[in-house]
Amino acid sequence: AVISAHRSGGPAAPRRIVRGLDALSSTVCGLVDPLELARSAHPEEEMVRAADAAHGELCETLHRLNTSAELHAAAAAAARGATGGGSDRGCGESDPGCGADEAPLCEAEARLARAFVSEFEQDGAHLPAPQRSRLEALHAEAATAASRFAAAAA
């Protein structure tokens, strides 16, 4: 939905992009957190192994999302289109800057769009493919080292 909103453009695109990225982020966090708990605290070893495997797969998917040049471009377009025309109260119905999809992003949505851009860029989504690959390799090395450390500490 995020990429299609970006491709279709129009005045509603920035809000649809931000809302789509926010929903995706919330969904992923809603999956990662219980898996982390199961990995670290479940009393049954079989459940720990299953949670660890699922966590690994989810982290790989999350990594692909975080390094997606298309998602980065969509977030950057939303941030560029953000005028912060609404108030800073949040983005509810009481905010005159929010509501209709065609309205400019309210300040909270504009901040969220910029935060998404920053997150994508921390993972190298904006880099040319060779540099992005090098950064991905460094992230993988760091994740492996952290996993070995955690296993040794347990």
Side-chain angles (χ1 to χ4, degrees):
V2 171
I3 293 172
S4 110
H6 173 58
R7 288 180 180 162
S8 68
R15 179 161 282 118
R16 289 195 335 256
I17 290 167
V18 170
R19 287 180 178 169
L21 288 171
D22 191 37
L24 181 60
S25 177
S26 293
T27 299
V28 170
C29 288
L31 296 170
V32 169
D33 293 343
L35 288 173
E36 282 288 346
L37 178 62
R39 289 173 65 207
S40 63
H42 201 282
E44 297 176 26
E45 186 60 33
E46 184 177 337
M47 290 298 292
V48 171
R49 282 193 303 274
D52 194 45
H55 182 269
E57 289 178 29
L58 185 60
C59 285
E60 286 177 23
T61 299
L62 183 59
H63 178 70
R64 280 194 304 277
L65 292 170
N66 286 346
T67 58
S68 167
E70 275 191 290
L71 288 176
H72 171 263
R80 279 191 308 274
T83 61
S87 73
D88 197 27
R89 288 191 309 257
C91 291
E93 291 179 18
S94 64
D95 187 340
C98 291
D101 281 347
E102 292 80 17
L105 297 180
C106 69
E107 188 55 38
E109 289 170 323
R111 275 195 314 270
L112 185 57
R114 291 187 298 270
F116 282 129
V117 171
S118 177
E119 286 183 40
F120 283 120
E121 290 179 357
Q122 285 178 1
D123 286 321
H126 65 300
L127 296 173
Q131 292 172 329
R132 189 169 54 245
S133 293
R134 175 67 180 135
L135 183 59
E136 289 173 10
L138 291 171
H139 279 295
E141 287 177 35
T144 299
S147 181
R148 285 186 187 146
F149 178 80

